């Protein structure tokens, strides 16, 4: 994520965790603002006292990592269920990260809702059987377009522009990331 051109962009990370994708976007890709959504408080909160054990040191990693990398001023951590915490982010994001496995499908409606009126990018993670990859990619495009219609956003086009085969999850099952560009369709197209 650190190599994408995100300078000046607003990004929403729907499953931020400890900042695995959040930090490269802030530190290397230089996005201007990032909203990091996370439901697990142990991943994000700064402890009030020194940690009593090594296990506790690994908790609260996101806030520690933001501070250590001097990017906390550009990151807004939204603790809680992203279906609720993103309610003020409607139509604000240039790109949305959906880094949840085995499937991020439950977050697709939230992601589409967060995209700006002129569209943007979704980075969709999924575990997919090798034999099902082409079908899944086609269904992903179709479902994202349906979601935009259901949300009253009109006719949008979703196109998978790149697929990254991250690693195998199980025999003949890949962790994929589909980079999907979503834009409103122009009249007549």
């Amino acid at each position: 994520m650190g190599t994408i051109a995100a300078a000046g962009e607003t990004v929403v990370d729907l499953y931020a965790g400890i900042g695995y994708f959040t930090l490269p976007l802030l530190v290397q890709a230089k996005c201007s603002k990032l909203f990091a959504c996370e439901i697990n408080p142990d991943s994000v909160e700064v402890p009030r006292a020194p940690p009593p054990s090594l296990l506790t040191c690994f908790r609260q990693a996101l806030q520690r990592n933001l501070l250590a990398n001097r990017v906390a001023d550009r990151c807004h951590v939204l603790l809680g269920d992203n279906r609720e915490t993103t309610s003020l982010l409607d139509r604000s994001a240039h790109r949305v990260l959906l880094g949840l496995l085995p499937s991020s499908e439950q977050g697709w409606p939230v992601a589409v809702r967060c995209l700006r009126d002129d569209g943007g990018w979704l980075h969709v993670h999924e575990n997919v059987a090798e034999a099902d990859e082409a079908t899944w990619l086609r269904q992903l495009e179709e479902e994202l377009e349906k979601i935009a219609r259901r949300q009253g956003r009109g006719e949008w086009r979703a196109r998978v522009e790149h697929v990254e085969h991250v690693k195998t999850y199980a025999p003949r099952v890949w962790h994929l990331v589909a980079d999907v560009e979503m834009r409103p369709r122009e009249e007549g197209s």
Side-chain angles (χ1 to χ4, degrees), residues 36-45 77-82 85:
C37 304
E38 180 53 47
I39 200 165
N40 178 2
D42 285 340
S43 294
V44 299
E45 293 175 347
V77 177
L78 305 175
L79 181 60
D81 186 326
N82 62 35
T85 61

Side-chain angles (χ1 to χ4, degrees), residues 59-101:
R59 294 186 180 173
Q60 301 95 19
L62 178 57
Q63 288 289 3
R64 289 175 187 265
N65 288 335
L66 292 169
L67 292 168
N69 285 280
R70 297 185 176 100
V71 292
D73 60 321
R74 295 190 340 239
C75 186
H76 306 277
V77 177
L78 305 175
L79 181 60
D81 186 326
N82 62 35
R83 291 171 292 188
E84 297 167 8
T85 61
T86 58
S87 62
L88 298 177
L89 303 180
D90 288 4
R91 301 174 183 229
S92 66
H94 294 89
R95 68 181 69 239
V96 181
L97 311 180
L98 294 117
L100 181 67
L101 293 176

Side-chain angles (χ1 to χ4, degrees), residues 43-62:
S43 294
V44 299
E45 293 175 347
V46 174
R48 292 186 181 91
S53 70
L54 183 58
L55 174 64
T56 315
C57 287
F58 292 105
R59 294 186 180 173
Q60 301 95 19
L62 178 57

Side-chain angles (χ1 to χ4, degrees), residues 19 21 26 33 72 74 86 107 139 146-147 156 178 181 186:
F21 301 114
L26 287 162
K33 191 182 313 178
R74 295 190 340 239
T86 58
Q139 289 173 340
K146 287 178 190 174
I147 290 168
W156 279 44
E181 185 176 22
E186 295 182 17

Side-chain angles (χ1 to χ4, degrees), residues 12-39:
V12 175
D13 186 348
L14 290 180
Y15 307 99
I18 64 168
Y20 189 78
F21 301 114
T22 295
L23 289 165
L25 277 160
L26 287 162
V27 175
Q28 294 154 333
K30 307 280 188 215
C31 69
S32 4
K33 191 182 313 178
L34 193 141
F35 294 92
C37 304
E38 180 53 47
I39 200 165

